[in-house]
């Protein structure tokens, strides 16, 4: 069974631009969660989607948004990029709502904002 | 709200020896789960071990085991017979009814040949 796939692996953008990251969960998994990893703040939860609905949201500004499609694939969008958005963005999938269910992570998308 | 604390930023262990990574947590939830994840240089987060808080028995997974002290809110990871491939960053994490994983800052483990 294929694992969690995140595309692209690397992105370079400039301030003010917007970016879309993609995540394909493990087949059969219906929940997708997104995390931001930076050296200073560590791993922080962005949001979780289940059955195309946002179920949980972290403490990030509205510039960060996401969605989930009927095939459970998820996209995350960041608008008006800032230098501080440079980070590794990790996606994780689980069979049902995360929490009791183990989350399996993708390899991440490394975003650099110049 | 949940908090997870990993106070040691780095540790080193000799190959074939045993090492224990510390973690403490705080939660107001009665039903919660604790995890250790490994992140090697490839950046892929890999689940090492999972503990259900309602289970008194400590989880084990081959060379990996935990010491779960519920009253003390402590959840340490013991790696036995350390191997070079164990070198990575290790994160302790917890989750409760609100579903999100709360991670500690992580600890970098190096293995000396």
């Amino acid at each position: 069974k294929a694992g969690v796939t995140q595309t692209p692996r690397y992105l370079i953008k400039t301030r003010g631009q917007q970016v879309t990251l993609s995540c394909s969960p493990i087949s059969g998994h219906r929940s997708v969660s997104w995390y931001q990893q930076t050296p200073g703040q560590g791993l922080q939860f962005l949001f979780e989607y289940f059955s195309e609905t946002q179920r949980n949201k972290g403490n990030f500004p509205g510039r960060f948004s996401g969605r989930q499609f009927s095939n459970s694939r998820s996209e995350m969008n960041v608008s008006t990029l800032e230098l501080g958005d440079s980070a590794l963005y990790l996606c994780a999938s689980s069979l049902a709502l995360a929490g009791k269910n183990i989350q399996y992570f993708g390899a991440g998308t490394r975003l650099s904002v110049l | 709200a949940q908090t997870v604390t990993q106070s040691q930023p780095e540790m080193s262990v000799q190959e074939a020896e045993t090492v224990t990574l510390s973690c403490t947590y705080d939660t107001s939830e009665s039903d919660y789960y604790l995890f250790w994840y490994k992140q090697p240089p490839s950046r892929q987060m890999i689940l090492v071990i999972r503990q259900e808080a309602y289970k008194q028995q400590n989880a084990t997974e081959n060379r990996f085991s935990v010491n779960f002290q519920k009253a003390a809110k402590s959840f340490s990871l013991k790696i036995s017979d350390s191997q070079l491939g164990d070198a990575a960053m290790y994160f302790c994490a917890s989750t409760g009814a609100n579903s999100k994983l709360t991670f500690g800052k992580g600890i970098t483990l190096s293995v000396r040949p």
Side-chain angles (χ1 to χ4, degrees), chain A residues 75-86:
Chain A
E75 287 182 347
M76 189 192 99
N77 185 74
V78 188
S79 62
T80 321
L81 283 166
E82 300 177 0
L83 295 179
D85 297 333
S86 294

Side-chain angles (χ1 to χ4, degrees), chain B residues 13-19 63 79-84 86:
Chain B
V13 63
Q14 189 76 35
E15 194 176 4
E17 297 292 305
T18 296
V19 64
R63 298 182 296 108
I79 306 174
S80 304
D81 185 26
S82 297
Q83 300 175 0
L84 295 177
D86 294 334

Side-chain angles (χ1 to χ4, degrees), chain A residues 37 56 98 100 103 105, chain B residues 37 39 43-44 50 98-99:
Chain A
Q37 185 176 18
N56 214 343
K100 293 184 179 183
Q103 294 185 49
F105 284 80
Chain B
Y37 277 92
Q39 188 177 41
R43 305 181 322 216
Q44 180 104 36
R50 172 180 179 246
N98 66 0
S99 301

Side-chain angles (χ1 to χ4, degrees), chain A residues 4 9-10 33 35 37 39-45 48 55-58 88 90 97-110, chain B residues 31-35 37 39 41-47 49-50 52 54 89 91-92 94-106:
Chain A
V4 179
R9 291 294 306 276
Y10 302 92
S33 297
Y35 297 85
Q37 185 176 18
Q41 298 299 317
L43 280 149
Q44 293 184 288
F45 171 77
E48 178 187 11
R55 300 293 178 147
N56 214 343
K57 190 177 189 305
L88 177 67
L90 293 168
L97 278 173
K100 293 184 179 183
N101 294 284
I102 294 171
Q103 294 185 49
Y104 297 88
F105 284 80
T109 295
R110 171 74 67 186
Chain B
D31 183 17
Y32 59 93
Y33 298 79
L34 299 165
F35 304 83
Y37 277 92
Q39 188 177 41
S42 67
R43 305 181 322 216
Q44 180 104 36
M45 293 280 271
I46 302 163
L47 177 68
I49 202 162
R50 172 180 179 246
E52 294 98 331
Y54 62 86
M89 196 145 186
F91 291 92
C92 179
S94 72
T95 185
N98 66 0
S99 301
K100 69 169 188 171
L101 271 173
T102 299
F103 287 90
K105 292 290 188 185

Side-chain angles (χ1 to χ4, degrees), chain B residues 20-91:
Chain B
T20 298
L21 311 182
S22 301
C23 172
T24 58
Y25 64 93
D26 196 12
T27 179
S28 56
E29 308 203 35
S30 57
D31 183 17
Y32 59 93
Y33 298 79
L34 299 165
F35 304 83
W36 278 97
Y37 277 92
K38 170 185 177 182
Q39 188 177 41
S42 67
R43 305 181 322 216
Q44 180 104 36
M45 293 280 271
I46 302 163
L47 177 68
V48 175
I49 202 162
R50 172 180 179 246
Q51 174 81 42
E52 294 98 331
Y54 62 86
K55 287 188 178 178
Q56 291 188 345
Q57 187 174 6
N58 289 327
T60 62
E61 200 67 51
N62 301 315
R63 298 182 296 108
F64 300 88
S65 62
V66 298
N67 183 6
F68 175 43
Q69 301 289 326
K70 192 170 183 178
K73 294 185 177 177
S74 170
F75 183 61
S76 60
L77 175 69
K78 186 172 84 171
I79 306 174
S80 304
D81 185 26
S82 297
Q83 300 175 0
L84 295 177
D86 294 334
M89 196 145 186
Y90 286 82
F91 291 92

Side-chain angles (χ1 to χ4, degrees), chain A residues 10-59:
Chain A
Y10 302 92
L11 267 177
I12 300 176
K13 293 286 187 179
T14 56
R15 279 183 302 174
Q17 287 187 311
Q18 75 164 18
V19 67
T20 299
L21 313 182
S22 179
C23 173
S24 293
I26 292 171
S27 178
H29 284 197
R30 296 172 61 195
S31 169
V32 173
S33 297
W34 289 89
Y35 297 85
Q36 181 196 65
Q37 185 176 18
T38 60
Q41 298 299 317
L43 280 149
Q44 293 184 288
F45 171 77
L46 280 155
F47 29 63
E48 178 187 11
Y49 285 87
F50 179 77
S51 294
E52 302 177 63
T53 303
Q54 189 180 90
R55 300 293 178 147
N56 214 343
K57 190 177 189 305
N59 190 25

